Amino acid sequence: MTGGVAPQTKPPLSSRLTASNLLREPLLGPLVALVLAIVVFSVISDSFLEPQNVSLILQQSVVVGILAVGQTLIILTSGIDLSIGAVAVFGTIVMAQSAGANGPVVALGSTLLVCVVFGALNGGLVTALRLPPFIVTLGTFTAIQAATRLLAGSETYRVTPGPLTFLGTSFRIGSFSTTYGVVAMLLVYLVTWYALSQTAWGKHVYAVGGNPQASDLSGIKSGRVLLSVYITTGVIAAIAAWAALGRIPNADPNAYQNANLETITAVVIGGTSLFGGRGGVVGTLVGTLIVGVLRNGLTQAGVDNLYQNIATGVLVIVAVAVDQFTRRRSR
């Protein structure tokens, strides 16, 4: 065949696997870190890879893992949500109190409504008043945390076994035992991944986070997209509240005090950029598992919880530093 343009071929694999190209793969680093952590802790502890311990890691990751999906959506839009954990805890109190008076269906519906209202409040303040998400959610975090204690009267509410604790129910797959909460967490990740990667809404979320001015010029309603993201985060917080009562059937106003920071940790370690428009929920799932593996492995190794927090903090700093370096190299 003569004339025309010769077909283009991909460069050899060796030329594509350069350090610069690898750094542009946000999921690669977290995956390598997860594998290394698993290898190290399996050497340190003979019981680390036993099915029972693997199941425990997954179960301990459920609540923060679900909340981290909502945090990912916010961070993809170049924002941050410091209130998502407080919203979920408030939801557990509403759920427990409503169940006693009106039954589980009303309790679940009331929790969903309340969490969506909080999400819409955050989104409305960010979009309508153009306030920084950090300041808005810091303010609502403080208010919601106080409102939770006022609503609960500083009491813990015991939840009887039933629909509200369903996500804590165990089932077996061969020799492996897990809970429906783990299934719910994976479903939340799957649905959100599909929405972000296969729908116009997902493309708009990335566009708004990556370059809001360009997205406005292209006809995207940035305000509506942001509001929808915060409302969706409220729905996710309600699911996390349900999962929390399945994990521990007590609605405690003082529970999950570090959930906000833990979700940010999972998102950042998972490769989602704090500057928006880059990353995704697959990386967040890996980041959640890294945190779960790290804490479980260090606990088995007899490391004090305070040192575990130090290790997690160092991981966050390293992840942000890598993100900064990658952005500079890609310019």
Side-chain angles (χ1 to χ4, degrees):
M1 179 178 177
T2 59
V5 179
Q8 295 182 350
T9 58
K10 289 184 178 180
L13 181 62
S14 58
S15 65
R16 287 185 282 133
L17 293 180
T18 63
S20 179
N21 288 336
L22 290 178
L23 282 172
R24 292 192 181 98
E25 296 296 331
L27 189 57
L28 180 64
L31 281 173
V32 171
L34 178 60
V35 172
L36 287 176
I38 291 173
V39 170
V40 169
F41 290 126
S42 63
V43 171
I44 294 175
S45 174
D46 294 334
S47 62
F48 182 78
L49 288 180
E50 290 184 357
Q52 182 178 0
N53 190 60
V54 173
S55 176
L56 179 61
I57 293 173
L58 291 173
Q59 292 177 48
Q60 291 175 334
S61 302
V62 164
V63 177
V64 171
I66 293 174
L67 290 173
V69 176
Q71 191 71 259
T72 303
L73 293 175
I74 301 296
I75 291 179
L76 282 175
T77 62
S78 194
I80 200 162
D81 191 348
L82 299 179
S83 68
I84 189 170
V87 172
V89 173
F90 189 91
T92 62
I93 301 298
V94 171
M95 197 179 300
Q97 290 186 345
S98 299
N102 304 298
V105 175
V106 173
L108 289 169
S110 300
T111 300
L112 177 61
L113 177 61
V114 167
C115 292
V116 166
V117 167
F118 282 135
L121 174 63
N122 283 334
L125 291 172
V126 170
T127 56
L129 301 182
R130 298 186 180 277
L131 298 176
F134 179 89
I135 299 300
V136 169
T137 57
L138 177 61
T140 54
F141 160 73
T142 304
I144 293 170
Q145 193 176 60
T148 301
R149 292 173 180 170
L150 288 171
L151 179 65
S154 299
E155 295 182 6
T156 298
Y157 292 83
R158 177 77 179 175
V159 179
T160 57
L164 299 188
T165 61
F166 169 74
L167 294 183
T169 306
S170 299
F171 67 95
R172 300 187 69 86
I173 303 175
S175 61
F176 184 76
S177 176
T178 189
T179 65
Y180 288 106
V182 174
V183 176
M185 178 183 71
L186 296 178
L187 284 175
V188 170
Y189 274 93
L190 180 61
V191 171
T192 308
W193 168 83
Y194 181 85
L196 285 174
S197 63
Q198 305 298 320
T199 68
W201 178 80
K203 294 179 175 62
H204 292 170
V205 169
Y206 279 101
V208 169
N211 194 328
Q213 290 78 19
S215 64
D216 285 334
L217 292 174
S218 65
I220 296 174
K221 303 292 186 181
S222 298
R224 292 182 183 179
V225 173
L226 281 175
L227 183 60
S228 70
V229 166
Y230 281 93
I231 290 174
T232 302
T233 300
V235 174
I236 291 171
I239 298 172
W242 188 17
L245 291 185
R247 177 85 180 115
I248 301 175
N250 290 321
D252 183 358
N254 298 311
Y256 298 101
Q257 293 191 1
N258 295 324
N260 302 320
L261 295 179
E262 289 176 354
T263 60
I264 297 170
T265 300
V267 174
V268 173
I269 291 177
T272 296
S273 174
L274 285 172
F275 301 95
R278 178 175 177 270
V281 292
V282 176
T284 298
L285 178 58
V286 176
T288 300
L289 294 177
I290 289 174
V291 175
V293 165
L294 184 66
R295 289 194 176 278
N296 182 275
L298 291 176
T299 299
Q300 289 200 10
V303 177
D304 186 271
N305 186 62
L306 294 177
Y307 289 106
Q308 295 180 29
N309 292 336
I310 292 174
T312 303
V314 170
L315 270 178
V316 173
I317 294 172
V318 170
V320 174
V322 170
D323 179 39
Q324 285 269 32
F325 178 75
T326 305
R327 284 174 57 86
R328 290 169 184 167
R329 289 293 298 271
S330 62
R331 288 175 181 174

